C-alpha cells in the first residue's frame, strides 16, 4: 500500500467507525424507548386511566353505584360526587356496598365505611381512598391513575355538581 492509499483509508475507517457508532446508538435509543413504554404504558381507558362513569342524571342524590371497569363506586350526596376506590384500606380486599345496611362492609375483617368512605368500625386505619372526578356536560370522568389517600374525609374531596 502506498503512502497516498494509506492516507485515504484512514478517513474511510473513521467513517465506518462513525457509521457503526451511529447505528449502535440508534439501536440503543430504540431499545430504551421500548423499555420505557413497557415500564410506563399510556393508559387507554381501562383501570389506570380516565374512566367514563356515566351521565350525572344516572346518579341519584344519596345513591351508590359501582363502576366495575374502574374498580370504584360513585357516591353522590347533596355535597356532590366522590369516586371511592373499592380497595379496603386495611389489607386491600374489595369492599362491597351493602344496600340494606347503607354501608360499605369489608368481607375480610369486617371494616365498615359510610357513603363518603369514612371508617365506621373495624381495623381499617383510614377512609377509603378516592379518585379525582370531573363532572362535565357529558358526564362523570374519573382519573384512576391518581388515587388519593386521606386520614379523614373532607368536603373538598367531593366534586360539586352544577345545576
Ligand atoms: S381487608 Fe378489609 S377489613 Fe381487612
Amino acid at each position: 500500500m502506498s503512502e497516498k492509499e494509506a492516507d485515504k483509508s484512514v478517513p474511510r475507517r473513521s467513517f465506518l467507525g462513525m457509521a457503526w457508532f451511529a447505528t449502535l446508538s440508534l439501536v440503543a435509543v430504540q431499545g430504551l424507548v421500548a423499555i420505557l413504554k413497557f415500564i410506563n404504558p399510556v393508559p387507554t381507558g381501562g383501570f389506570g386511566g380516565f374512566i367514563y362513569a356515566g351521565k350525572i342524571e344516572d346518579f341519584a342524590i344519596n345513591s351508590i353505584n359501582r363502576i366495575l371497569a374502574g374498580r370504584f363506586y360513585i357516591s353522590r350526596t347533596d355535597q356532590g360526587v366522590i369516586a371511592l376506590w373499592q380497595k379496603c384500606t386495611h389489607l386491600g380486599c374489595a369492599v362491597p356496598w351493602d344496600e340494606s345496611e347503607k354501608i360499605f362492609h369489608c368481607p375480610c375483617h369486617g371494616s365498615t365505611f359510610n357513603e363518603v368512605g369514612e371508617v365506621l368500625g373495624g381495623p381499617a386505619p383510614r377512609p377509603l381512598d378516592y379518585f379525582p372526578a370531573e363532572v362535565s356536560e357529558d358526564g362523570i370522568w374519573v382519573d384512576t391513575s391518581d388515587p388519593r389517600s386521606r386520614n379523614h374525609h373532607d368536603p373538598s374531596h367531593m366534586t360539586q355538581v352544577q345545576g
Side-chain angles (χ1 to χ4, degrees):
M1 183 183 296
S2 72
E3 205 170 290
K4 274 188 173 181
E5 287 172 331
D7 284 347
K8 283 182 183 174
S9 68
V10 171
R12 183 183 296 159
R13 270 195 215 132
S14 176
F15 172 77
L16 288 175
M18 286 191 307
W20 268 111
F21 179 76
T23 303
L24 290 176
S25 297
L26 188 62
V27 169
V29 167
Q30 285 178 329
L32 188 62
V33 168
I35 289 169
L36 289 175
K37 280 185 176 176
F38 179 76
I39 292 171
N40 192 16
V42 177
T44 56
F47 185 76
F50 274 89
I51 304 251
Y52 180 68
K55 295 183 177 191
I56 188 65
E57 54 267 25
D58 295 338
F59 300 90
I61 293 175
N62 298 324
S63 71
I64 307 283
N65 289 278
R66 189 175 192 185
I67 308 299
L68 272 175
R71 305 177 196 169
F72 60 81
Y73 292 88
I74 292 292
S75 173
R76 184 173 180 193
T77 72
D78 55 3
Q79 303 269 306
V81 162
I82 187 167
L84 296 168
W85 196 357
Q86 68 181 19
K87 186 177 164 187
C88 184
T89 52
H90 180 223
L91 293 177
C93 290
V95 184
W97 171 252
D98 185 326
E99 187 60 34
S100 63
E101 291 185 89
K102 299 285 185 198
I103 56 173
F104 290 99
H105 198 152
C106 183
C108 294
H109 311 100
S111 289
T112 52
F113 307 85
N114 70 8
E115 73 282 357
V116 291
E118 293 172 302
V119 178
L120 299 174
R126 56 188 171 77
L128 292 173
D129 297 342
Y130 71 101
F131 297 111
E134 293 174 20
V135 179
S136 63
E137 281 184 12
D138 64 336
I140 303 172
W141 287 89
V142 175
D143 182 3
T144 60
S145 72
D146 189 18
R148 307 278 173 92
S149 66
R150 56 208 174 134
N151 292 320
H152 65 277
H153 174 71
D154 186 273
S156 68
H157 303 157
M158 311 286 293
T159 302
Q160 302 298 311
V161 177
Q162 304 300 321

